[in-house]
Amino acid sequence: MLRSTRTSLRTARRTRTALALAATVALGLTAAACGSGDKSGDDKPSASRSGDSGPVPQTVRLPKLNGQKLKVTAVWTGDEQKNFTKVLDEFSRRTGAEVSFVPSGDDMASFVGSKVAGGDPPDVAMLQQPGVLNEFAQKGWLKPLGSEATAQLDKNFAKGWQELGSHGGKQYGVYFKAADKSLVWYNTKIFEAAGAKEPKTWADFLRTAQVIADFGVSPVSVAGADGWTLTDWFENIYLSQAGQEKYDQLTKHTIKWTDPSVKDALTTLGQLLGKKELLAGGNDGAIGTQFPDSVTQTFLGGDKAKAAMVFEGDFAAVNIAGAKAQLGKDAKVFPFPAVGAKPPVVTGGDVGVALKDGQAAQALLTFLASPDAAAIWAHQGGFLSANKNLDPAAYPDEVFRGIAGSLVAAGDDFRFDMSDQAPASFGAKPGQGEWKDLQDFLKNPGDVAGTQAKLESDAAKAFKN
């Protein structure tokens, strides 16, 4: 992704769930009145403003904001921007506020920094990384959530998502859009022809890959040209193998990348990357493949596709559709296989924060924390929410209902994308830091010790410890 989707393409960066995709969760929307003063809304579903998406639920009351103006910024462009605008339109309809969308470009931190320096920041920004939220909070740019937005968070989100939006004991953010980065998508025609089955463990995954290779098709499509995908491979393996405590320590660089747990994870990843017959195009082909192509070459041409499986988040569905493959029929998905005791649940997401005081900004964050706002975008597709009170029926197909149900069922048993939490110089820059080091590892998967040493050197510089 590169971002409009680190959550979209990373979201084009990265969320996931390694729980059974078949599990959908029957969740009801509950009507709630929140706040005080003159309120709009009558607790009845409003007519859809998106054509065929169905009625929009109303579970939260919002204040009258006639005459007030609100600027909202996000990296989203294209369909993502259009779908988010539908959410903003519904907010305007309910409150009377005039909302304008301001694209930030890919570098949200620089965009917001320039606006703050000029004395006119947007009212609300949708940030892609917890590290950016923490940086803005440390600089005093963010306004804490009010009681109404906090109440919606408490009611609708697991504690883990609330903690991701907090800093220094204060709640600042609402994770409106989530990403599930623990998914493997596969070509059903190739699987059926090769006699392959969905694997549940890493050992099963490697065996399945070999079965497909022996059949004559490259088993795994790897997007090595986009270094963020390699960080996602590592993070899923590391979380499942080393566990949550080690994952948290490595995320904060309180243990070094030369730790034996990193050696174990790289060695495990090398079991795949070290066998060129398991990779579409071999290692050289993988290092030259960008994320969109890694998906389309897995499905374009049906049983004549160039690969059988591709790993990445729910956002891969957009590229699958571009390959003219039907979700649930031509393309199916299974959770990232368990390397250790249980499968990993790695997530990404976009968090809404207020940069200005005011009733309008707080009201929008209250709305974004409700099932109402999530339902609008969910109807359009290309969206995943961690809101546990969003009716699964809001999603347009069974595949996404399953993914969303698994994400919600994970509760607090997930970890956010590690590289998204690191300083950008280490975890978020093409051609440097973790992205570059893992690309070098893809070229030479036998050099575990050298890769560890380079990762530690780069991390120490970025974390300054």
Side-chain angles (χ1 to χ4, degrees):
M1 327 185 229
L2 284 165
R3 199 60 178 154
S4 162
T5 26
R6 240 193 168 212
T7 291
S8 273
L9 265 180
R10 268 171 62 115
T11 277
R13 265 187 92 153
R14 298 138 186 207
T15 308
R16 312 99 177 330
T17 142
L19 303 174
L21 287 175
T24 54
V25 183
L27 298 171
L29 297 174
T30 55
C34 180
S36 59
D38 185 16
K39 305 290 183 179
S40 66
D42 55 6
D43 292 333
K44 295 179 181 178
S46 63
S48 168
R49 298 175 66 84
S50 57
D52 59 355
S53 64
V56 177
Q58 287 198 20
T59 69
V60 60
R61 288 182 178 272
L62 301 171
K64 288 287 189 180
L65 300 170
N66 298 77
Q68 296 195 37
K69 295 184 178 181
L70 198 64
K71 287 183 182 178
V72 181
T73 190
V75 300
W76 295 320
T77 59
D79 287 341
E80 287 187 306
Q81 180 179 331
K82 291 176 184 177
N83 290 336
F84 185 54
T85 299
K86 289 181 171 69
V87 177
L88 299 180
D89 287 346
E90 177 66 11
F91 176 77
S92 295
R93 189 196 70 77
R94 294 192 192 186
T95 64
E98 182 181 331
V99 184
S100 58
F101 179 86
V102 183
S104 67
D106 287 342
D107 194 342
M108 173 68 75
S110 295
F111 176 82
V112 171
S114 67
K115 295 299 182 182
V116 170
D120 186 27
D123 297 271
V124 172
M126 306 300 296
L127 310 179
Q128 306 88 54
Q129 297 166 302
V132 174
L133 182 148
N134 292 330
E135 176 188 338
F136 286 6
Q138 288 170 353
K139 291 179 177 179
W141 293 356
L142 302 186
K143 309 302 177 184
L145 292 187
S147 59
E148 297 179 356
T150 301
Q152 286 295 309
L153 270 186
D154 289 342
K155 182 167 64 173
N156 297 319
F157 288 84
K159 184 173 177 159
W161 288 100
Q162 297 179 45
E163 290 176 347
L164 279 170
S166 67
H167 177 83
K170 293 183 179 179
Q171 193 72 50
Y172 290 103
V174 173
Y175 269 89
F176 174 61
K177 189 175 190 286
D180 175 353
K181 297 183 128 202
S182 297
L183 302 173
V184 181
W185 303 85
Y186 67 95
N187 184 317
T188 57
K189 290 185 175 66
I190 294 175
F191 259 56
E192 289 168 6
K197 300 188 181 305
E198 294 184 6
K200 299 196 179 297
T201 68
W202 182 255
D204 290 341
F205 178 77
L206 293 176
R207 281 192 289 268
T208 298
Q210 192 62 57
V211 165
I212 294 168
D214 292 344
F215 176 69
V217 176
S218 296
V220 184
S221 179
V222 174
D226 291 324
W228 58 266
T229 66
L230 301 178
T231 71
D232 287 352
W233 274 104
F234 172 83
E235 288 158 7
N236 275 272
I237 290 172
Y238 190 81
L239 178 57
S240 182
Q241 190 172 54
Q244 295 179 354
E245 183 177 354
K246 283 280 192 181
Y247 187 96
D248 293 342
Q249 291 171 348
L250 190 60
T251 297
K252 298 172 184 175
H253 199 230
T254 56
I255 60 172
K256 295 184 177 182
W257 284 80
T258 49
D259 190 85
S261 62
V262 177
K263 177 183 177 181
D264 291 343
L266 288 173
T267 300
T268 298
L269 180 55
Q271 292 172 347
L272 172 68
L273 303 185
K275 297 190 72 172
K276 63 181 182 180
E277 68 269 24
L278 300 184
L279 309 179
N283 296 72
D284 291 342
I287 201 67
T289 301
Q290 295 181 329
F291 170 72
D293 295 332
S294 74
V295 181
T296 55
Q297 73 177 7
T298 306
F299 297 99
L300 194 63
D303 59 357
K304 301 296 191 298
K306 294 181 179 179
M309 295 181 280
V310 62
F311 153 72
E312 255 314 333
D314 55 275
F315 43 83
V318 174
N319 305 95
I320 292 172
K324 310 217 181 299
Q326 184 178 341
L327 289 182
K329 181 182 178 184
D330 306 312
K332 292 186 178 180
V333 63
F334 58 85
F336 195 95
V339 183
K342 57 184 180 179
V345 184
V346 180
T347 68
D350 298 89
V351 58
V353 296
L355 291 152
K356 283 185 179 179
D357 288 316
Q359 188 182 23
Q362 291 294 330
L364 178 57
L365 292 175
T366 299
F367 184 55
L368 294 181
S370 74
D372 306 18
I376 296 167
W377 196 337
H379 280 306
Q380 311 306 314
F383 176 86
L384 198 65
S385 174
N387 190 314
K388 61 188 178 183
N389 288 317
L390 173 63
D391 188 342
Y395 293 99
D397 57 62
E398 288 298 329
V399 172
F400 266 79
R401 286 177 201 132
I403 295 172
S406 301
L407 181 63
V408 169
D412 295 327
D413 192 22
F414 72 92
R415 287 299 183 269
F416 202 89
D417 185 297
M418 184 186 293
S419 59
D420 278 352
Q421 299 184 67
S425 60
F426 179 65
K429 296 284 187 181
Q432 68 183 67
E434 191 180 359
W435 293 20
K436 174 65 162 55
D437 297 340
L438 290 178
Q439 286 176 320
D440 290 343
F441 180 66
L442 172 59
K443 295 174 186 176
N444 185 13
D447 188 17
V448 172
T451 301
Q452 282 187 269
K454 190 64 170 67
L455 285 163
E456 175 53 30
S457 174
D458 291 338
K461 291 175 187 175
F463 282 90
K464 301 186 182 347
N465 60 13

